[in-house]
Amino acid sequence: MVWKWWWMLTVTAIGVVAWGVPSEQQPLVTRIAFGSCANQSAPQPIWNAIISFDPQVFIWLGDNIYGDIRRPFKLFGKERTIGPWKNAPRFVPSTEQEMKSRYEKAKSNPGYSRLRENTKVIGTWDDHDYGLNDAGKEFSGKITNQRLLLDFLDEPEHSPRRKQDGVYASYTLGPMGRQIKVILLDTRYHRDPLRSDGTILGRSQWEWLEKELNDSPTAVTIIGSSIQVISNLSATTGPLFYMESWGRFPKERDRLFKLIADSKVVYRDGVFFISGDVHFGEITRYDCATGYPLYDVTSSGITQAVEKVVPPPLHFFVRFLAWLTPNTMRVTDQNCRYRHV
């Protein structure tokens, strides 16, 4: 049953119901789909299910393509990509032309092309479409790749996103009284190195986010982050392995929660997160940040899945380990009241 729900969350759709009178200029938005982690070279039959859901909006949450080059595991030889004697990087950046070609391949996918005909598409990026696995502000190709991402998203030439440092953006959807605010964060362009407990968003993006959260109230506020916000998975599985998440930057996560708690939107009980990155789907809950529970709905794996890291005969073993993974914030049933103090 757990894996049935995880499969359904590969691309998650949320219906939003609010009250008021619709206007002709701003149509009512009732169906929003979102997802992440789409290898442009892999089959993508899931677009058929998304199109059948008939969303008005689709949100990319990162790894919209896999633009960097992944070298094979090599334990021995001149170029060793794993092990304590590793002397070569496992991932290397692609050229601008290679990135552009991969975006073109993704955009021309028949299923995705049909979705774009009737659905507004917005989005942010994660590491592989940013240009390099696990990269942050140090990555030199970020300016060029920002332009390529915005071209992929059909961002207008006059858009502020083409002039700012980073791809963060916000959208207000729907008529007055039924408005939904979507805030998309950039967790790459300004991010300090992992294990630094430095910044994720950078000064300018933090200032922008505070203004967005204190702007005119909306019925629902969705904050999109390419990496998980609430999950404590990295903390509970280290040092065996770590996953990128806001939990790796505890000061930044505390700042984010405090900003939400102090903002106007908290009084509407209408803020939740959506995220991607991890190649599985789950819903996590945190009860200690604001006056109401915060939820993070992770939809990761348009083409990717955690079990793909091993041969098919061992898929069941990876699924079993994932089921046992000690994320104490994971929502497992409708009566879940897990807390993390």
Side-chain angles (χ1 to χ4, degrees), residues 245-258:
S245 68
W246 280 75
R248 303 284 296 275
F249 294 80
K251 292 178 182 177
E252 286 285 272
R253 186 166 66 169
D254 288 345
R255 181 178 180 180
L256 177 63
F257 290 158
K258 186 176 186 303

Side-chain angles (χ1 to χ4, degrees), residues 7-228:
W7 180 86
M8 291 176 66
L9 281 167
T10 300
V11 170
T12 307
I14 291 183
V16 181
V17 179
W19 304 100
V21 179
S23 67
E24 295 180 0
Q25 292 77 17
Q26 296 289 334
L28 181 65
V29 174
T30 58
R31 294 177 303 281
I32 298 176
F34 57 94
S36 62
C37 305
N39 189 318
Q40 67 283 348
S41 298
Q44 299 183 3
I46 201 165
W47 293 120
N48 295 328
I50 300 172
I51 293 168
S52 296
F53 178 68
D54 193 24
Q56 290 104 346
V57 180
F58 178 82
I59 305 173
W60 283 109
L61 288 170
D63 293 342
N64 314 321
I65 63 165
Y66 280 70
D68 51 354
I69 298 170
R70 182 174 63 179
R71 293 173 169 175
F73 285 118
K74 285 190 177 181
L75 196 59
F76 304 103
K78 293 183 179 180
E79 293 187 348
R80 302 178 295 276
T81 57
I82 59 171
W85 45 83
K86 171 183 173 179
N87 66 355
R90 176 90 199 283
F91 294 87
V92 295
S94 297
T95 65
E96 178 181 350
Q97 187 55 45
E98 287 171 332
M99 288 287 291
K100 185 176 180 180
S101 174
R102 295 178 188 202
Y103 269 123
E104 289 173 349
K105 186 171 185 176
K107 199 168 186 177
S108 64
N109 178 280
Y112 180 58
S113 297
R114 285 191 293 119
L115 176 76
R116 291 173 58 236
E117 291 175 1
N118 300 303
T119 303
K120 179 181 178 66
V121 176
I122 59 178
T124 186
W125 58 13
D126 196 35
D127 51 348
H128 295 291
D129 44 352
Y130 181 62
L132 187 62
N133 182 59
D134 291 353
K137 68 181 183 182
E138 76 286 348
F139 179 57
S140 61
K142 60 186 180 182
I143 296 175
T144 297
N145 290 351
Q146 176 172 337
R147 172 173 52 82
L148 295 178
L149 171 69
L150 297 180
D151 289 345
F152 172 71
L153 294 174
D154 295 317
E155 194 75 18
E157 288 299 323
H158 61 273
S159 169
R161 297 180 87 187
R162 292 189 179 273
K163 300 175 183 178
Q164 68 187 25
D165 293 333
V167 300
Y168 54 90
S170 72
Y171 304 83
T172 301
L173 311 170
M176 191 66 65
R178 302 186 180 190
Q179 289 182 326
I180 302 166
K181 186 159 199 170
V182 179
I183 298 174
L184 299 180
L185 303 178
D186 184 332
T187 64
R188 294 293 163 186
Y189 200 100
H190 302 281
R191 199 210 69 193
D192 284 330
L194 293 170
R195 302 182 182 88
S196 69
D197 199 10
T199 186
I200 292 179
L201 302 184
R203 183 174 60 85
S204 60
Q205 189 174 181
W206 272 116
E207 293 174 354
W208 167 84
L209 179 59
E210 183 174 4
K211 291 179 182 177
E212 292 295 327
L213 289 176
N214 285 287
D215 201 357
S216 301
T218 53
V220 175
T221 300
I222 302 170
I223 300 179
S225 168
S226 67
I227 55 175
Q228 291 186 304

Side-chain angles (χ1 to χ4, degrees), residues 36-37 226 228 233 243-244 276-282 298 300 306:
S36 62
C37 305
S226 67
Q228 291 186 304
L233 192 60
M243 305 175 75
E244 288 189 285
D277 176 60
V278 289
H279 296 187
F280 58 82
E282 68 176 0
T298 300
S300 173
V306 289

